[in-house]
Amino acid sequence: MKLADLRQEYMRAGLAEAHAHADPVLQFERWFHDAQAAGVPLANAMTLATVSPGGAPSARVVLLKGIEHGGFVFYTNYLSRKGRELAAQPLACLVFLWSELERQVRIEGRVAAIPAAASDAYFDSRPLGARLSAWASQQSETVRDRTTLERSLAAMREKYGERPPRPAHWGGYRVEPEALEFWQGRADRLHDRLLYRRAGGGSGWTLERLAP
């Protein structure tokens, strides 16, 4: 296989300024609904990129769990690598790729923990195994083997039964966007790229087209 020979022509759609919503969050919701309607698997999967205090980037795929107050919400262990990095540098980039629609969205912004009550409500809605796992797993830490994790889960099941409380080290973050870029694949690599930037620290947005 020659990776350099892997090519795809993009022909599905275009993205014109006249058809883009003035509010980029509503434009995102429009595209997200399109992805769901098209049957894209895990349409809410997104790459979350963070940076260490020393400037080293890291990225992983997490799931979007809400769009609230104009921000993008996900949940994780606050003591994980991403949690530690966000505590030191509360900035992140999100990337959604919906290849079936030849679309991607990139979101940059500041990150803040959501209120504890909101994290409690979401935690209580999770399957029991996922709630117990939040106690059993010290996310991102070295673990001896799979058996160690399974024993820890069994111990948490014994301790908390059917009603484990939310651990203080687990909860939600909201990415508050400062910039959102919508990318639509086009023929001849002349892709459409529309970039929204928050205007003057207020609630308005500017819109500009980027060269592909």
Side-chain angles (χ1 to χ4, degrees):
M1 179 188 298
K2 294 181 62 177
L3 295 181
D5 291 338
L6 294 178
R7 294 185 176 88
Q8 175 179 328
E9 194 62 86
Y10 301 95
M11 303 292 291
R12 292 183 60 92
L15 179 60
E17 289 85 341
H19 298 149
H21 201 289
D23 185 329
V25 177
L26 295 180
Q27 176 64 32
F28 176 87
E29 291 181 349
R30 179 186 293 172
W31 270 21
F32 184 78
H33 293 152
D34 288 347
Q36 289 183 302
V40 174
L42 286 177
N44 63 327
M46 59 187 187
T47 299
L48 165 67
T50 56
V51 64
S52 75
S58 61
R60 74 290 290 160
V61 176
V62 299
L63 298 178
L64 177 69
K65 287 298 182 178
I67 302 174
E68 303 169 5
H69 308 293
F72 297 81
V73 176
F74 66 95
Y75 294 85
T76 192
N77 186 315
Y78 293 143
L79 303 179
S80 64
R81 177 177 176 177
K82 54 185 166 306
R84 296 193 301 269
E85 290 179 348
L86 289 172
Q89 187 73 274
L91 299 169
C93 180
L94 308 175
V95 177
F96 293 83
L97 173 63
W98 301 311
S99 57
E100 293 86 345
L101 301 178
E102 300 173 353
R103 289 174 174 175
Q104 60 179 308
V105 181
R106 181 172 55 84
I107 300 165
E108 299 175 5
R110 299 194 64 81
V111 183
I114 67 173
S119 289
D120 288 340
Y122 175 73
F123 185 81
D124 290 342
S125 76
R126 303 181 86 208
L128 177 60
R131 283 178 281 150
L132 291 170
S133 180
W135 283 100
S137 174
Q138 296 179 312
Q139 192 175 107
S140 301
E141 298 300 317
T142 300
V143 62
R144 180 176 179 179
D145 51 29
R146 173 87 188 176
T147 300
T148 300
L149 287 173
E150 292 172 347
R151 287 175 177 168
S152 180
L153 181 63
M156 294 301 103
R157 193 181 301 275
E158 178 69 22
K159 179 176 181 178
Y160 292 115
E162 299 290 318
R163 298 185 61 83
R166 178 180 65 88
H169 61 259
W170 191 98
Y173 289 102
R174 183 172 60 251
V175 179
E176 301 167 352
E178 294 293 329
L180 299 91
E181 180 191 329
F182 294 83
W183 182 100
Q184 176 70 65
R186 297 296 299 273
D188 301 319
R189 297 301 189 264
L190 288 179
H191 310 306
D192 288 326
R193 296 176 62 189
L194 298 188
L195 175 64
Y196 295 80
R197 297 183 189 273
R198 196 173 291 280
S203 58
W205 298 89
T206 63
L207 176 60
E208 58 192 33
R209 175 173 289 267
L210 302 181

